[in-house]
């Protein structure tokens, strides 16, 4: 399969930790990248690869991967972290990209 | 940091052709990066459309391949998307984006602001 799956929604109390996951066969070969998207805005890269966080992204964002599953963790979630989070990777053929359906994170 | 800007009609008639261009500023389209189009229907997730290298090599989404053509104009530092035989299902915000990579990691490191294209008569 060339699909990526994500849970639809998760909520987290302010200051607590939340982990969202992405699953797909292609993740056994390719690393995931993660994008934060707020309403009316373009996606923003927040984590990619084995252990890479773009400049300007807070270190409360971290990622991990194992087998066919990848995770994005927000440690000490802030109100501004409330957004949709999309995972992305190459598909199993290696010639196309796929996105997960997105996970909405609500900060309570 | 490279900046991307989509341009093109915001309204396309059913069965017509959607045409968009992405201008690249602060960098050159003639680099090792691949240049992509991604769309997002209202209230839905991101959908990859395809990518093009400055040499003209392309990869398209299998679900859209029969209707998509991408091109690159190195002299104007821009790349373009054409999507034919559009229907209401093609109504979406269309983003252009740059892919960086270091196998086996691929990531979109720059995005345009997006442009809404509505298919309607």
């Amino acid at each position: 399969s060339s699909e990526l799956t994500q849970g639809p929604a998760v909520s987290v109390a302010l200051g607590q930790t939340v982990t969202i996951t992405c699953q797909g066969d292609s993740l056994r070969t390719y690393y995931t990248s993660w994008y934060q998207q707020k309403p009316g805005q373009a996606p923003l890269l927040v984590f990619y690869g084995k252990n890479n966080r773009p400049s300007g992204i807070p270190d409360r964002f971290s990622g991990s991967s194992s087998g066919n599953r990848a995770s994005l963790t927000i440690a000490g979630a802030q109100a501004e972290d409330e957004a949709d989070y999309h995972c992305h990777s190459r598909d199993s053929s290696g010639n196309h990209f796929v996105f997960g359906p997105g996970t909405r994170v609500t900060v309570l | 940091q490279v900046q991307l800007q989509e341009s093109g009609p915001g309204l396309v008639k059913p069965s017509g052709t959607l045409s968009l261009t992405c201008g690249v500023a602060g960098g050159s389209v003639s680099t090792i990066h691949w240049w992509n189009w991604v769309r997002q229907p209202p209230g839905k997730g991101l959908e990859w459309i395809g990518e093009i290298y400055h040499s003209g090599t392309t990869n398209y989404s299998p679900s859209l391949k029969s209707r998509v053509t991408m091109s690159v104009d190195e002299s104007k530092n821009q790349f373009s998307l054409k999507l034919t035989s559009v229907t209401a299902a093609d109504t979406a915000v269309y983003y252009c984006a740059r892919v960086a990579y270091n196998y086996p990691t691929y990531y979109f490191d720059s995005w345009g602001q997006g442009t809404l294209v509505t298919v309607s008569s």
Side-chain angles (χ1 to χ4, degrees):
Chain A
S1 170
S2 59
E3 294 182 345
L4 297 178
T5 59
Q6 296 180 246
V10 64
S11 60
V12 58
L14 184 68
Q16 297 303 301
T17 295
V18 63
T19 296
I20 57 180
T21 61
C22 176
Q23 192 168 351
D25 289 343
S26 66
L27 302 188
R28 298 183 186 278
T29 303
Y30 299 98
Y31 281 111
T32 312
S33 55
W34 292 92
Y35 304 87
Q36 175 193 72
Q37 188 179 31
K38 298 180 180 179
Q41 296 184 16
L44 174 69
L45 179 68
V46 295
F47 198 87
Y48 63 98
K50 186 176 182 179
N51 189 20
N52 299 283
R53 193 171 45 250
S55 174
I57 301 301
D59 61 6
R60 61 179 178 270
F61 289 89
S62 64
S64 64
S65 63
S66 178
N68 71 338
R69 183 185 294 257
S71 300
L72 177 72
T73 297
I74 309 173
Q78 302 299 301
E80 60 265 31
D81 300 333
E82 186 163 288
D84 293 331
Y85 289 84
H86 308 272
C87 64
H88 154 261
S89 178
R90 268 312 203 200
D91 75 353
S92 297
S93 76
N95 294 322
H96 311 115
F97 286 124
V98 288
F99 285 95
T103 298
R104 177 153 296 178
V105 174
T106 301
V107 180
L108 303 173
Chain B
Q1 178 75 333
V2 69
Q3 294 183 321
L4 308 178
Q5 179 67 60
E6 305 89 351
S7 60
L11 181 65
V12 182
K13 294 187 184 301
S15 77
T17 296
L18 180 158
S19 297
L20 295 174
T21 295
C22 182
V24 179
S28 172
V29 74
S30 305
T31 63
I32 62 170
H33 299 93
W34 287 74
W35 305 94
N36 285 247
W37 290 96
V38 176
R39 70 180 183 180
Q40 186 171 36
K44 296 187 177 182
L46 300 170
E47 179 183 16
W48 180 71
I49 299 171
E51 63 180 354
I52 188 166
Y53 196 65
H54 66 85
S55 63
T57 302
T58 56
N59 289 309
Y60 299 142
S61 167
S63 65
L64 296 170
K65 184 176 182 179
S66 63
R67 300 193 291 130
V68 171
T69 302
M70 293 183 183
S71 59
V72 62
D73 188 333
E74 294 183 273
S75 67
K76 294 184 178 179
N77 212 33
Q78 64 185 33
F79 59 104
S80 300
L81 167 71
K82 290 189 186 297
L83 181 67
T84 61
S85 305
V86 296
T87 68
D90 294 310
T91 294
V93 174
Y94 285 76
Y95 295 99
C96 57
R98 185 180 79 171
V99 161
Y101 56 93
N102 183 12
Y103 184 87
T105 300
Y106 297 78
Y107 53 100
F108 293 100
D109 65 347
S110 295
W111 294 75
Q113 65 183 25
T115 186
L116 174 63
V117 179
T118 301
V119 178
S120 176
S121 56

